Amino acid sequence: ELKVEQNPLFLSMQEGKNYTIYCNYSTTSDRLYWYRQDPGKSLESLFVLLSNGAVKQEGRLMASLDTKARLSTLHITAAVHDLSATYFCAVTMDSNYQLIWGAGTKLIIKP
Amino acid sequence: NAGVTQTPKFQVLKTGQSMTLQCAQDMNHEYMSWYRQDPGMGLRLIHYSVGAGITDQGEVPNGYNVSRSTTEDFPLRLLSAAPSQTSVYFCASRRQGQYEQYFGPGTRLTVT
């Protein structure tokens, strides 16, 4: 059974600081996704990581994937208040690419 | 394109009532899915479809039915609502062979 664990589940940080969110999964998977969700809103796709060693960056966010360790990280550089949101990772469970989700990391960035 | 649309946005039901959550997409995507989101648990897959006429169960299918008579529409039916079905429901779609999954705005359902 494929399980996905994120940590931390809650993170409060100051603007300008760096931090990393971790996503571990239990069995081999082909794809790893990162999504952002603002309160009361839908989910916005951030990154899709397809292979071992994949690294993608968008603005202050950088995601990486280590398939051997079954670990993905989402690194936030010089955080700004606008990045406050809940971040989810999700992993495919079969060839239909149906997603198994982590519980989410609620990120609060204080001005 | 409107993308993925869901109706209604909010709904309150009494225990035992039935209803249908609507989902439509205008991107001609083959794959469509229904998820529920509960606090602190991420999203869980209820049912999914890989094309018109083809549906399958996800992690938490009990109490829900789906059908896919057209490519565009994928309604989710609650047969007899229970308080445990209080949740936010998201519909999503994806084109075959691509990885990007598009989500609708969600339906917030409360069962009393």
Side-chain angles (χ1 to χ4, degrees), chain A residues 31 33 35 37 40-43 45 48 50 88 93-104, chain B residues 31 33 35 37 40-45 48 50 59 90 94 98-101 103-106 108:
Chain A
R31 313 275 182 268
Y33 298 74
Y35 282 86
Q37 187 179 38
K41 302 294 186 182
S42 188
L43 293 109
S45 177
V48 181
L50 303 178
F88 291 92
M93 68 177 291
D94 58 26
S95 59
N96 286 324
Y97 303 129
Q98 300 310 313
L99 301 180
I100 301 298
W101 295 73
Chain B
Y31 291 76
S33 306
Y35 295 89
Q37 184 178 31
M41 297 185 69
L43 278 72
R44 291 183 292 169
L45 181 65
Y48 66 98
V50 299
E59 297 175 76
F90 287 100
R94 178 177 66 81
Q98 295 186 357
Y99 311 120
E100 184 74 45
Q101 189 158 194
F103 283 82
R108 186 174 296 273

Side-chain angles (χ1 to χ4, degrees), chain A:
Chain A
E1 181 185 0
L2 179 56
K3 293 185 178 180
V4 181
E5 292 187 353
Q6 286 183 240
N7 69 85
L9 298 182
F10 179 81
L11 178 57
S12 179
M13 54 193 292
Q14 296 291 127
E15 278 192 326
K17 300 291 187 182
N18 302 334
Y19 210 80
T20 300
I21 299 170
Y22 298 89
C23 175
N24 290 91
Y25 53 99
S26 58
T27 62
T28 302
S29 178
D30 293 334
R31 313 275 182 268
L32 190 136
Y33 298 74
W34 284 99
Y35 282 86
R36 168 181 172 149
Q37 187 179 38
D38 293 304
K41 302 294 186 182
S42 188
L43 293 109
E44 173 190 357
S45 177
L46 296 175
F47 303 109
V48 181
L49 302 171
L50 303 178
S51 60
N52 189 43
V55 177
K56 290 194 174 181
Q57 184 165 4
E58 180 72 33
R60 301 176 186 273
L61 300 178
M62 183 175 71
S64 65
L65 178 62
D66 181 343
T67 57
K68 294 180 181 178
R70 297 175 187 161
L71 171 69
S72 180
T73 60
L74 180 66
H75 187 74
I76 302 151
T77 301
V80 294
H81 178 67
D82 287 351
L83 290 179
S84 296
T86 298
Y87 293 86
F88 291 92
C89 65
V91 180
T92 56
M93 68 177 291
D94 58 26
S95 59
N96 286 324
Y97 303 129
Q98 300 310 313
L99 301 180
I100 301 298
W101 295 73
T105 296
K106 185 173 184 178
L107 177 62
I108 295 176
I109 300 171
K110 300 176 182 178

Side-chain angles (χ1 to χ4, degrees), chain B:
Chain B
N1 286 351
V4 181
T5 58
Q6 291 183 237
T7 56
K9 290 187 177 182
F10 301 94
Q11 183 70 50
V12 178
L13 292 178
K14 295 185 185 299
T15 297
Q17 288 184 319
S18 62
M19 79 159 294
T20 299
L21 307 185
Q22 301 291 344
C23 174
Q25 51 90 11
D26 61 357
M27 298 173 283
N28 203 31
H29 287 175
E30 295 86 356
Y31 291 76
M32 296 186 75
S33 306
W34 275 102
Y35 295 89
R36 60 177 288 172
Q37 184 178 31
D38 300 299
M41 297 185 69
L43 278 72
R44 291 183 292 169
L45 181 65
I46 305 171
H47 286 284
Y48 66 98
S49 169
V50 299
I54 305 170
T55 64
D56 205 348
Q57 297 181 350
E59 297 175 76
V60 287
N62 292 341
Y64 308 95
N65 275 358
V66 292
S67 60
R68 184 99 179 268
S69 56
T70 67
T71 300
E72 294 77 21
D73 299 299
F74 191 42
L76 178 72
R77 297 183 188 86
L78 280 69
L79 308 174
S80 178
S84 60
Q85 293 179 305
T86 294
S87 188
V88 180
Y89 291 84
F90 287 100
C91 178
S93 74
R94 178 177 66 81
R95 184 180 300 281
Q96 184 176 5
Q98 295 186 357
Y99 311 120
E100 184 74 45
Q101 189 158 194
Y102 297 85
F103 283 82
T107 294
R108 186 174 296 273
L109 176 68
T110 302
V111 183
T112 61

